[in-house]
Amino acid sequence: MENIKNENEVEIQVKDLDLWYGENHALKEVSIGISKNGVTAFIGPSGCGKSTFLRCLNRMNDLIKSCRIEGQIFERSKNIYENDVDVVELRKRVGMVFQKPNPFPMSIYDNIAYGPRIHGVDKKEIDGIVKQALHSSALWDEVSDRLDSSALDLSGGQQQRLCIARTLAVKPDIILFDEPCSALDPISTNKIEELIMDLKKDYTIVIVTHNMQQAARISDYTAFFLNGEIIEFGETKQIFENPQEKGTEDYITGRFG
Amino acid sequence: MVREKYIQELSLLKNNIIQMGELSQKILQDSMDAFVELDLELANETIKMDDLIDDKEMAVEISTSRLLALQQPMAGDLRLIMACIRIAIDLERMSDLAVDIAELTEKIDGGHIKPLDNMDRMAEIGGDMLKNSIKAFETADVELAKSTAQEDEKVDKLFYELWMELMDMMAKDPSTISNASHLLFLIRYLERIADHASNICESVIYMATGERLELN
């Protein structure tokens, strides 16, 4: 498919990306430009490649032995698949929040301080970073009086916001969300959605979601994946009101999937 | 899994609009016949038919709000629902105008002051516009919607010509003022009916393409 033009400043430019798991050709010539300070959503049926593609954006697929990748992903004009790329540094810059909240079995404070500490941040700065990250993740008011309590005592929604705070603490440019609300109740989901919309002021956000209404509510751009290809990519309001491809129309109107 | 019940409800909604369109055509035709022939019985029957239109409009409103609340329609489905909401309002207004025409029948004192050929022509074009706009809706036919909306120009032209003629008639012969003023209302109603048919065409184009066009 043609490179997709994007009028806004592009933070991530993907060119002709192919990915195989062994013999399985899971992503086929994917090209897309992801806007800086926007929310881009990936939708599509299970197994369409959207999470696989998300994991390419910070080279999480490197951890899978059978995985082979061709093509280029440019972030800050640098192809992240070049041999000289520091993957640890890349994942610091491109943070990730997963489907199920996964706090470390330690205090709320230590969960957030963990990243800055291993990246060698000065001890004196850490208090400020923790506080800032908790404010940014809209969790401060709920936990400020119990930072030493175990993170595992928080509710699911709070744990997920803690994971977001943990990601923010290492000061990323890009945050990848892989179905961040699928294990949460509607009120917690609402809070995470509000948070994502707020965070895009300072970060570039990419989110994989099975919930199409969620994609419609919070994203600026939407890409529809099917069988490892991007079938359609455009402004969210256009994709949900007037998709140009029949496959997109059929999927979002529930004709299949 | 295909959403069968949902798709069935969308289809029912579409059928409701088509039926409402057919009913509006009948009301318009009968009201005009009643007025031209000064047939009070037919006029009264036509006025009663307005309740049927109101019922249909209510059915469309209930169905669209329920679909929006429960099914979160998207893309073409969403545009169909938006179009149905708008078209139902236009059809209801058109029927009200047709009823207004029927109600004029009893106000005519004596007989008509002039032949009504051109008024009939306006009603005929308006009726065809209504019929074709609903046909365009049924088949999502953008070209038919566009050509139908263009017919409005003919109605507008007749309206202005008749307006001038009636004004002139009243100035020359004040005894015609009462009946001529009713004819002024008649042509105004017919002109508005054609406008509503144009609106339906705009809704059809939005439904079919997502484009929001101002046709007249």
Side-chain angles (χ1 to χ4, degrees), chain A residues 212-214 216 238-244 248-257, chain B residues 1-3 6-7 10 71-79 206 208-212:
Chain A
M212 276 182 288
Q213 279 70 38
Q214 179 169 69
Q238 176 255 311
I239 295 284
F240 285 98
E241 190 183 354
N242 192 16
Q244 299 300 302
T248 318
E249 173 99 26
D250 286 349
Y251 180 68
I252 65 176
T253 58
R255 301 303 196 269
F256 82 88
Chain B
M1 199 184 99
V2 176
R3 302 158 77 185
Y6 165 60
I7 290 165
L10 286 175
Q71 300 286 356
Q72 290 88 43
M74 299 268 193
D77 295 346
L78 177 67
R79 300 201 308 273
Y206 169 71
T209 67
E211 258 187 290
R212 290 181 171 87

mmCIF file of all heavy atoms in Angstrom, chain A residues 212-214 216 238-244 248-257, chain B residues 1-3 6-7 10 71-79 206 208-212:
data_model
loop_
_atom_site.group_PDB
_atom_site.id
_atom_site.type_symbol
_atom_site.label_atom_id
_atom_site.label_comp_id
_atom_site.label_asym_id
_atom_site.label_seq_id
_atom_site.Cartn_x
_atom_site.Cartn_y
_atom_site.Cartn_z
ATOM 1 N N MET A 212 -14.431 -0.567 19.613
ATOM 2 C CA MET A 212 -14.456 0.440 18.549
ATOM 3 C C MET A 212 -14.968 1.787 19.038
ATOM 4 O O MET A 212 -14.541 2.828 18.578
ATOM 5 C CB MET A 212 -15.300 -0.052 17.390
ATOM 6 C CG MET A 212 -14.473 -0.930 16.493
ATOM 7 S SD MET A 212 -15.427 -1.456 15.128
ATOM 8 C CE MET A 212 -16.516 -2.591 15.911
ATOM 9 N N GLN A 213 -15.911 1.728 19.982
ATOM 10 C CA GLN A 213 -16.418 2.996 20.522
ATOM 11 C C GLN A 213 -15.288 3.732 21.240
ATOM 12 O O GLN A 213 -15.224 4.953 21.216
ATOM 13 C CB GLN A 213 -17.592 2.757 21.484
ATOM 14 C CG GLN A 213 -18.913 2.555 20.776
ATOM 15 C CD GLN A 213 -18.992 1.241 20.034
ATOM 16 O OE1 GLN A 213 -18.499 0.227 20.512
ATOM 17 N NE2 GLN A 213 -19.587 1.234 18.859
ATOM 18 N N GLN A 214 -14.401 2.962 21.871
ATOM 19 C CA GLN A 214 -13.267 3.598 22.537
ATOM 20 C C GLN A 214 -12.365 4.281 21.499
ATOM 21 O O GLN A 214 -11.965 5.428 21.686
ATOM 22 C CB GLN A 214 -12.468 2.551 23.311
ATOM 23 C CG GLN A 214 -11.270 3.129 24.013
ATOM 24 C CD GLN A 214 -10.663 2.126 24.966
ATOM 25 O OE1 GLN A 214 -10.090 1.130 24.549
ATOM 26 N NE2 GLN A 214 -10.803 2.377 26.244
ATOM 27 N N ALA A 216 -13.243 5.364 18.666
ATOM 28 C CA ALA A 216 -13.981 6.517 18.134
ATOM 29 C C ALA A 216 -13.941 7.682 19.119
ATOM 30 O O ALA A 216 -13.827 8.833 18.725
ATOM 31 C CB ALA A 216 -15.425 6.112 17.847
ATOM 32 N N GLN A 238 -13.580 10.466 10.003
ATOM 33 C CA GLN A 238 -13.882 9.971 8.651
ATOM 34 C C GLN A 238 -14.062 8.455 8.655
ATOM 35 O O GLN A 238 -15.000 7.928 8.043
ATOM 36 C CB GLN A 238 -12.759 10.378 7.687
ATOM 37 C CG GLN A 238 -12.920 9.836 6.266
ATOM 38 C CD GLN A 238 -11.973 8.688 5.977
ATOM 39 O OE1 GLN A 238 -10.784 8.784 6.233
ATOM 40 N NE2 GLN A 238 -12.483 7.596 5.443
ATOM 41 N N ILE A 239 -13.187 7.754 9.363
ATOM 42 C CA ILE A 239 -13.260 6.283 9.368
ATOM 43 C C ILE A 239 -14.610 5.820 9.923
ATOM 44 O O ILE A 239 -15.216 4.888 9.400
ATOM 45 C CB ILE A 239 -12.104 5.688 10.217
ATOM 46 C CG1 ILE A 239 -10.762 6.002 9.575
ATOM 47 C CG2 ILE A 239 -12.295 4.183 10.444
ATOM 48 C CD1 ILE A 239 -10.385 5.180 8.372
ATOM 49 N N PHE A 240 -15.093 6.486 10.975
ATOM 50 C CA PHE A 240 -16.326 6.005 11.605
ATOM 51 C C PHE A 240 -17.600 6.581 10.986
ATOM 52 O O PHE A 240 -18.678 6.035 11.179
ATOM 53 C CB PHE A 240 -16.291 6.264 13.119
ATOM 54 C CG PHE A 240 -15.378 5.305 13.824
ATOM 55 C CD1 PHE A 240 -14.086 5.668 14.162
ATOM 56 C CD2 PHE A 240 -15.797 4.017 14.111
ATOM 57 C CE1 PHE A 240 -13.231 4.774 14.785
ATOM 58 C CE2 PHE A 240 -14.952 3.114 14.735
ATOM 59 C CZ PHE A 240 -13.660 3.497 15.070
ATOM 60 N N GLU A 241 -17.461 7.690 10.262
ATOM 61 C CA GLU A 241 -18.668 8.231 9.633
ATOM 62 C C GLU A 241 -18.743 7.844 8.167
ATOM 63 O O GLU A 241 -19.817 7.564 7.644
ATOM 64 C CB GLU A 241 -18.705 9.768 9.766
ATOM 65 C CG GLU A 241 -20.059 10.332 9.335
ATOM 66 C CD GLU A 241 -20.130 11.852 9.388
ATOM 67 O OE1 GLU A 241 -19.186 12.495 9.866
ATOM 68 O OE2 GLU A 241 -21.149 12.393 8.943
ATOM 69 N N ASN A 242 -17.588 7.820 7.519
ATOM 70 C CA ASN A 242 -17.612 7.603 6.079
ATOM 71 C C ASN A 242 -16.369 6.855 5.593
ATOM 72 O O ASN A 242 -15.558 7.401 4.856
ATOM 73 C CB ASN A 242 -17.718 8.975 5.390
ATOM 74 C CG ASN A 242 -18.048 8.842 3.927
ATOM 75 O OD1 ASN A 242 -18.491 7.789 3.465
ATOM 76 N ND2 ASN A 242 -17.798 9.892 3.172
ATOM 77 N N PRO A 243 -16.234 5.583 6.002
ATOM 78 C CA PRO A 243 -15.061 4.831 5.548
ATOM 79 C C PRO A 243 -15.092 4.639 4.043
ATOM 80 O O PRO A 243 -16.172 4.542 3.456
ATOM 81 C CB PRO A 243 -15.200 3.493 6.281
ATOM 82 C CG PRO A 243 -16.643 3.375 6.612
ATOM 83 C CD PRO A 243 -17.155 4.775 6.796
ATOM 84 N N GLN A 244 -13.909 4.600 3.447
ATOM 85 C CA GLN A 244 -13.851 4.495 1.985
ATOM 86 C C GLN A 244 -13.749 3.048 1.508
ATOM 87 O O GLN A 244 -13.992 2.764 0.351
ATOM 88 C CB GLN A 244 -12.662 5.304 1.452
ATOM 89 C CG GLN A 244 -12.757 6.785 1.779
ATOM 90 C CD GLN A 244 -14.009 7.432 1.201
ATOM 91 O OE1 GLN A 244 -14.228 7.397 0.006
ATOM 92 N NE2 GLN A 244 -14.862 7.980 2.066
ATOM 93 N N THR A 248 -13.577 -1.973 5.810
ATOM 94 C CA THR A 248 -13.678 -1.151 7.027
ATOM 95 C C THR A 248 -15.147 -0.997 7.410
ATOM 96 O O THR A 248 -15.526 -1.181 8.571
ATOM 97 C CB THR A 248 -13.080 0.258 6.779
ATOM 98 O OG1 THR A 248 -11.885 0.135 6.040
ATOM 99 C CG2 THR A 248 -12.832 0.969 8.088
ATOM 100 N N GLU A 249 -15.953 -0.656 6.432
ATOM 101 C CA GLU A 249 -17.394 -0.461 6.666
ATOM 102 C C GLU A 249 -18.000 -1.737 7.275
ATOM 103 O O GLU A 249 -18.715 -1.683 8.271
ATOM 104 C CB GLU A 249 -18.079 -0.137 5.325
ATOM 105 C CG GLU A 249 -19.593 -0.081 5.373
ATOM 106 C CD GLU A 249 -20.155 1.321 5.484
ATOM 107 O OE1 GLU A 249 -19.485 2.271 5.057
ATOM 108 O OE2 GLU A 249 -21.260 1.455 6.019
ATOM 109 N N ASP A 250 -17.685 -2.872 6.666
ATOM 110 C CA ASP A 250 -18.254 -4.134 7.142
ATOM 111 C C ASP A 250 -17.815 -4.434 8.564
ATOM 112 O O ASP A 250 -18.598 -4.915 9.378
ATOM 113 C CB ASP A 250 -17.837 -5.293 6.224
ATOM 114 C CG ASP A 250 -18.584 -5.253 4.899
ATOM 115 O OD1 ASP A 250 -19.558 -4.471 4.803
ATOM 116 O OD2 ASP A 250 -18.199 -5.978 3.975
ATOM 117 N N TYR A 251 -16.547 -4.134 8.869
ATOM 118 C CA TYR A 251 -16.061 -4.444 10.218
ATOM 119 C C TYR A 251 -16.697 -3.515 11.256
ATOM 120 O O TYR A 251 -17.234 -3.977 12.257
ATOM 121 C CB TYR A 251 -14.533 -4.337 10.279
ATOM 122 C CG TYR A 251 -14.007 -4.648 11.658
ATOM 123 C CD1 TYR A 251 -14.095 -5.931 12.183
ATOM 124 C CD2 TYR A 251 -13.466 -3.646 12.465
ATOM 125 C CE1 TYR A 251 -13.650 -6.221 13.463
ATOM 126 C CE2 TYR A 251 -13.017 -3.928 13.745
ATOM 127 C CZ TYR A 251 -13.107 -5.220 14.235
ATOM 128 O OH TYR A 251 -12.680 -5.492 15.508
ATOM 129 N N ILE A 252 -16.668 -2.224 11.000
ATOM 130 C CA ILE A 252 -17.138 -1.316 12.060
ATOM 131 C C ILE A 252 -18.661 -1.309 12.187
ATOM 132 O O ILE A 252 -19.184 -0.877 13.204
ATOM 133 C CB ILE A 252 -16.583 0.125 11.924
ATOM 134 C CG1 ILE A 252 -17.080 0.796 10.672
ATOM 135 C CG2 ILE A 252 -15.097 0.170 11.994
ATOM 136 C CD1 ILE A 252 -16.621 2.230 10.584
ATOM 137 N N THR A 253 -19.356 -1.797 11.180
ATOM 138 C CA THR A 253 -20.813 -1.889 11.328
ATOM 139 C C THR A 253 -21.244 -3.296 11.763
ATOM 140 O O THR A 253 -22.429 -3.596 11.810
ATOM 141 C CB THR A 253 -21.543 -1.536 10.016
ATOM 142 O OG1 THR A 253 -21.090 -2.427 8.993
ATOM 143 C CG2 THR A 253 -21.294 -0.109 9.594
ATOM 144 N N GLY A 254 -20.255 -4.134 12.068
ATOM 145 C CA GLY A 254 -20.574 -5.452 12.618
ATOM 146 C C GLY A 254 -21.061 -6.449 11.587
ATOM 147 O O GLY A 254 -21.740 -7.417 11.923
ATOM 148 N N ARG A 255 -20.754 -6.197 10.307
ATOM 149 C CA ARG A 255 -21.164 -7.170 9.287
ATOM 150 C C ARG A 255 -20.266 -8.398 9.310
ATOM 151 O O ARG A 255 -20.594 -9.410 8.766
ATOM 152 C CB ARG A 255 -21.161 -6.546 7.885
ATOM 153 C CG ARG A 255 -22.079 -5.333 7.711
ATOM 154 C CD ARG A 255 -23.507 -5.663 8.058
ATOM 155 N NE ARG A 255 -24.444 -4.664 7.562
ATOM 156 C CZ ARG A 255 -24.855 -3.587 8.223
ATOM 157 N NH1 ARG A 255 -24.401 -3.347 9.444
ATOM 158 N NH2 ARG A 255 -25.730 -2.758 7.692
ATOM 159 N N PHE A 256 -19.070 -8.280 9.876
ATOM 160 C CA PHE A 256 -18.239 -9.461 10.136
ATOM 161 C C PHE A 256 -17.298 -9.135 11.281
ATOM 162 O O PHE A 256 -17.195 -8.008 11.707
ATOM 163 C CB PHE A 256 -17.449 -9.896 8.887
ATOM 164 C CG PHE A 256 -16.186 -9.112 8.664
ATOM 165 C CD1 PHE A 256 -14.997 -9.506 9.250
ATOM 166 C CD2 PHE A 256 -16.199 -7.967 7.879
ATOM 167 C CE1 PHE A 256 -13.834 -8.773 9.043
ATOM 168 C CE2 PHE A 256 -15.035 -7.240 7.672
ATOM 169 C CZ PHE A 256 -13.855 -7.648 8.262
ATOM 170 N N GLY A 257 -16.548 -10.154 11.744
ATOM 171 C CA GLY A 257 -15.552 -9.900 12.774
ATOM 172 C C GLY A 257 -15.970 -10.469 14.106
ATOM 173 O O GLY A 257 -17.018 -11.030 14.266
ATOM 174 N N MET B 1 -19.579 -12.664 14.065
ATOM 175 C CA MET B 1 -21.018 -12.893 14.043
ATOM 176 C C MET B 1 -21.742 -11.675 13.464
ATOM 177 O O MET B 1 -21.526 -10.561 13.887
ATOM 178 C CB MET B 1 -21.512 -13.149 15.469
ATOM 179 C CG MET B 1 -22.859 -13.821 15.498
ATOM 180 S SD MET B 1 -23.434 -13.997 17.200
ATOM 181 C CE MET B 1 -24.522 -12.610 17.317
ATOM 182 N N VAL B 2 -22.549 -11.890 12.502
ATOM 183 C CA VAL B 2 -23.291 -10.790 11.879
ATOM 184 C C VAL B 2 -24.439 -10.387 12.813
ATOM 185 O O VAL B 2 -25.079 -11.226 13.429
ATOM 186 C CB VAL B 2 -23.834 -11.218 10.502
ATOM 187 C CG1 VAL B 2 -24.676 -10.119 9.901
ATOM 188 C CG2 VAL B 2 -22.687 -11.575 9.578
ATOM 189 N N ARG B 3 -24.675 -9.086 12.907
ATOM 190 C CA ARG B 3 -25.706 -8.592 13.840
ATOM 191 C C ARG B 3 -27.067 -8.630 13.150
ATOM 192 O O ARG B 3 -27.570 -7.624 12.685
ATOM 193 C CB ARG B 3 -25.342 -7.170 14.256
ATOM 194 C CG ARG B 3 -23.976 -7.086 14.893
ATOM 195 C CD ARG B 3 -23.418 -5.687 14.794
ATOM 196 N NE ARG B 3 -24.023 -4.766 15.756
ATOM 197 C CZ ARG B 3 -23.749 -3.459 15.780
ATOM 198 N NH1 ARG B 3 -22.941 -2.941 14.895
ATOM 199 N NH2 ARG B 3 -24.331 -2.672 16.675
ATOM 200 N N TYR B 6 -30.035 -6.424 14.470
ATOM 201 C CA TYR B 6 -29.714 -5.019 14.209
ATOM 202 C C TYR B 6 -29.973 -4.669 12.737
ATOM 203 O O TYR B 6 -30.615 -3.660 12.414
ATOM 204 C CB TYR B 6 -28.251 -4.811 14.601
ATOM 205 C CG TYR B 6 -27.583 -3.556 14.103
ATOM 206 C CD1 TYR B 6 -28.060 -2.293 14.450
ATOM 207 C CD2 TYR B 6 -26.438 -3.625 13.309
ATOM 208 C CE1 TYR B 6 -27.408 -1.155 14.016
ATOM 209 C CE2 TYR B 6 -25.787 -2.493 12.878
ATOM 210 C CZ TYR B 6 -26.281 -1.261 13.227
ATOM 211 O OH TYR B 6 -25.629 -0.134 12.793
ATOM 212 N N ILE B 7 -29.497 -5.526 11.864
ATOM 213 C CA ILE B 7 -29.660 -5.286 10.427
ATOM 214 C C ILE B 7 -31.148 -5.307 10.055
ATOM 215 O O ILE B 7 -31.622 -4.503 9.248
ATOM 216 C CB ILE B 7 -28.830 -6.308 9.620
ATOM 217 C CG1 ILE B 7 -27.338 -5.984 9.824
ATOM 218 C CG2 ILE B 7 -29.172 -6.286 8.135
ATOM 219 C CD1 ILE B 7 -26.389 -7.069 9.421
ATOM 220 N N LEU B 10 -32.641 -1.989 11.068
ATOM 221 C CA LEU B 10 -32.299 -0.940 10.102
ATOM 222 C C LEU B 10 -33.206 -1.038 8.878
ATOM 223 O O LEU B 10 -33.678 -0.021 8.347
ATOM 224 C CB LEU B 10 -30.842 -1.075 9.654
ATOM 225 C CG LEU B 10 -29.758 -0.663 10.649
ATOM 226 C CD1 LEU B 10 -28.383 -0.982 10.078
ATOM 227 C CD2 LEU B 10 -29.834 0.819 10.989
ATOM 228 N N GLN B 71 -27.277 0.355 19.828
ATOM 229 C CA GLN B 71 -26.437 -0.337 18.845
ATOM 230 C C GLN B 71 -25.171 0.429 18.453
ATOM 231 O O GLN B 71 -24.347 -0.112 17.727
ATOM 232 C CB GLN B 71 -27.258 -0.629 17.574
ATOM 233 C CG GLN B 71 -28.471 -1.499 17.822
ATOM 234 C CD GLN B 71 -28.094 -2.957 18.064
ATOM 235 O OE1 GLN B 71 -26.936 -3.335 17.980
ATOM 236 N NE2 GLN B 71 -29.081 -3.779 18.368
ATOM 237 N N GLN B 72 -25.044 1.657 18.889
ATOM 238 C CA GLN B 72 -23.885 2.480 18.496
ATOM 239 C C GLN B 72 -23.559 2.326 17.007
ATOM 240 O O GLN B 72 -22.479 1.865 16.645
ATOM 241 C CB GLN B 72 -22.652 2.122 19.340
ATOM 242 C CG GLN B 72 -22.748 2.539 20.766
ATOM 243 C CD GLN B 72 -23.410 1.489 21.633
ATOM 244 O OE1 GLN B 72 -23.116 0.318 21.495
ATOM 245 N NE2 GLN B 72 -24.306 1.875 22.508
ATOM 246 N N PRO B 73 -24.500 2.682 16.146
ATOM 247 C CA PRO B 73 -24.261 2.500 14.712
ATOM 248 C C PRO B 73 -23.102 3.367 14.217
ATOM 249 O O PRO B 73 -22.843 4.443 14.751
ATOM 250 C CB PRO B 73 -25.571 2.957 14.067
ATOM 251 C CG PRO B 73 -26.192 3.848 15.075
ATOM 252 C CD PRO B 73 -25.781 3.328 16.417
ATOM 253 N N MET B 74 -22.425 2.867 13.205
ATOM 254 C CA MET B 74 -21.273 3.566 12.655
ATOM 255 C C MET B 74 -21.400 3.625 11.139
ATOM 256 O O MET B 74 -22.160 2.877 10.539
ATOM 257 C CB MET B 74 -19.993 2.784 12.964
ATOM 258 C CG MET B 74 -19.718 2.617 14.432
ATOM 259 S SD MET B 74 -18.695 3.953 15.005
ATOM 260 C CE MET B 74 -18.217 3.320 16.596
ATOM 261 N N ALA B 75 -20.574 4.452 10.543
ATOM 262 C CA ALA B 75 -20.372 4.505 9.094
ATOM 263 C C ALA B 75 -21.697 4.584 8.333
ATOM 264 O O ALA B 75 -22.549 5.413 8.663
ATOM 265 C CB ALA B 75 -19.539 3.311 8.650
ATOM 266 N N GLY B 76 -21.891 3.732 7.351
ATOM 267 C CA GLY B 76 -23.088 3.801 6.507
ATOM 268 C C GLY B 76 -24.369 3.640 7.311
ATOM 269 O O GLY B 76 -25.386 4.266 7.000
ATOM 270 N N ASP B 77 -24.335 2.833 8.352
ATOM 271 C CA ASP B 77 -25.527 2.648 9.193
ATOM 272 C C ASP B 77 -25.873 3.959 9.905
ATOM 273 O O ASP B 77 -27.043 4.338 10.013
ATOM 274 C CB ASP B 77 -25.280 1.568 10.251
ATOM 275 C CG ASP B 77 -25.064 0.196 9.624
ATOM 276 O OD1 ASP B 77 -25.359 0.049 8.427
ATOM 277 O OD2 ASP B 77 -24.602 -0.706 10.332
ATOM 278 N N LEU B 78 -24.833 4.611 10.403
ATOM 279 C CA LEU B 78 -25.046 5.881 11.107
ATOM 280 C C LEU B 78 -25.637 6.908 10.139
ATOM 281 O O LEU B 78 -26.585 7.627 10.473
ATOM 282 C CB LEU B 78 -23.705 6.393 11.662
ATOM 283 C CG LEU B 78 -23.754 7.743 12.358
ATOM 284 C CD1 LEU B 78 -24.561 7.670 13.646
ATOM 285 C CD2 LEU B 78 -22.348 8.234 12.684
ATOM 286 N N ARG B 79 -25.090 6.927 8.933
ATOM 287 C CA ARG B 79 -25.583 7.916 7.956
ATOM 288 C C ARG B 79 -27.023 7.608 7.554
ATOM 289 O O ARG B 79 -27.831 8.511 7.358
ATOM 290 C CB ARG B 79 -24.653 7.967 6.736
ATOM 291 C CG ARG B 79 -23.218 8.353 7.086
ATOM 292 C CD ARG B 79 -22.467 8.893 5.882
ATOM 293 N NE ARG B 79 -22.538 8.008 4.747
ATOM 294 C CZ ARG B 79 -21.709 7.004 4.502
ATOM 295 N NH1 ARG B 79 -20.724 6.749 5.343
ATOM 296 N NH2 ARG B 79 -21.853 6.254 3.427
ATOM 297 N N TYR B 206 -26.157 12.594 1.490
ATOM 298 C CA TYR B 206 -25.342 12.395 2.697
ATOM 299 C C TYR B 206 -25.307 10.906 3.062
ATOM 300 O O TYR B 206 -24.251 10.338 3.355
ATOM 301 C CB TYR B 206 -25.893 13.218 3.868
ATOM 302 C CG TYR B 206 -25.242 12.835 5.170
ATOM 303 C CD1 TYR B 206 -23.913 13.178 5.423
ATOM 304 C CD2 TYR B 206 -25.927 12.083 6.122
ATOM 305 C CE1 TYR B 206 -23.296 12.784 6.589
ATOM 306 C CE2 TYR B 206 -25.308 11.689 7.294
ATOM 307 C CZ TYR B 206 -24.000 12.037 7.525
ATOM 308 O OH TYR B 206 -23.376 11.641 8.678
ATOM 309 N N ALA B 208 -25.700 8.335 1.162
ATOM 310 C CA ALA B 208 -24.989 7.488 0.198
ATOM 311 C C ALA B 208 -23.490 7.782 0.141
ATOM 312 O O ALA B 208 -22.694 6.874 -0.095
ATOM 313 C CB ALA B 208 -25.605 7.664 -1.186
ATOM 314 N N THR B 209 -23.118 9.038 0.368
ATOM 315 C CA THR B 209 -21.709 9.401 0.140
ATOM 316 C C THR B 209 -21.009 10.020 1.338
ATOM 317 O O THR B 209 -19.777 10.143 1.344
ATOM 318 C CB THR B 209 -21.597 10.442 -1.003
ATOM 319 O OG1 THR B 209 -22.207 11.661 -0.543
ATOM 320 C CG2 THR B 209 -22.309 9.974 -2.261
ATOM 321 N N GLY B 210 -21.764 10.487 2.310
ATOM 322 C CA GLY B 210 -21.151 11.203 3.434
ATOM 323 C C GLY B 210 -20.972 12.691 3.123
ATOM 324 O O GLY B 210 -20.552 13.460 3.982
ATOM 325 N N GLU B 211 -21.281 13.089 1.891
ATOM 326 C CA GLU B 211 -21.120 14.501 1.506
ATOM 327 C C GLU B 211 -22.322 15.320 1.971
ATOM 328 O O GLU B 211 -23.461 14.887 1.809
ATOM 329 C CB GLU B 211 -21.088 14.611 -0.018
ATOM 330 C CG GLU B 211 -19.720 14.786 -0.593
ATOM 331 C CD GLU B 211 -19.821 15.066 -2.084
ATOM 332 O OE1 GLU B 211 -20.187 14.118 -2.831
ATOM 333 O OE2 GLU B 211 -19.595 16.207 -2.476
ATOM 334 N N ARG B 212 -22.027 16.515 2.485
ATOM 335 C CA ARG B 212 -23.130 17.389 2.887
ATOM 336 C C ARG B 212 -23.274 18.484 1.852
ATOM 337 O O ARG B 212 -22.491 19.432 1.831
ATOM 338 C CB ARG B 212 -22.847 17.982 4.268
ATOM 339 C CG ARG B 212 -22.920 16.961 5.372
ATOM 340 C CD ARG B 212 -22.654 17.600 6.723
ATOM 341 N NE ARG B 212 -22.914 16.681 7.806
ATOM 342 C CZ ARG B 212 -22.011 15.813 8.276
ATOM 343 N NH1 ARG B 212 -20.805 15.774 7.756
ATOM 344 N NH2 ARG B 212 -22.316 15.003 9.266
#
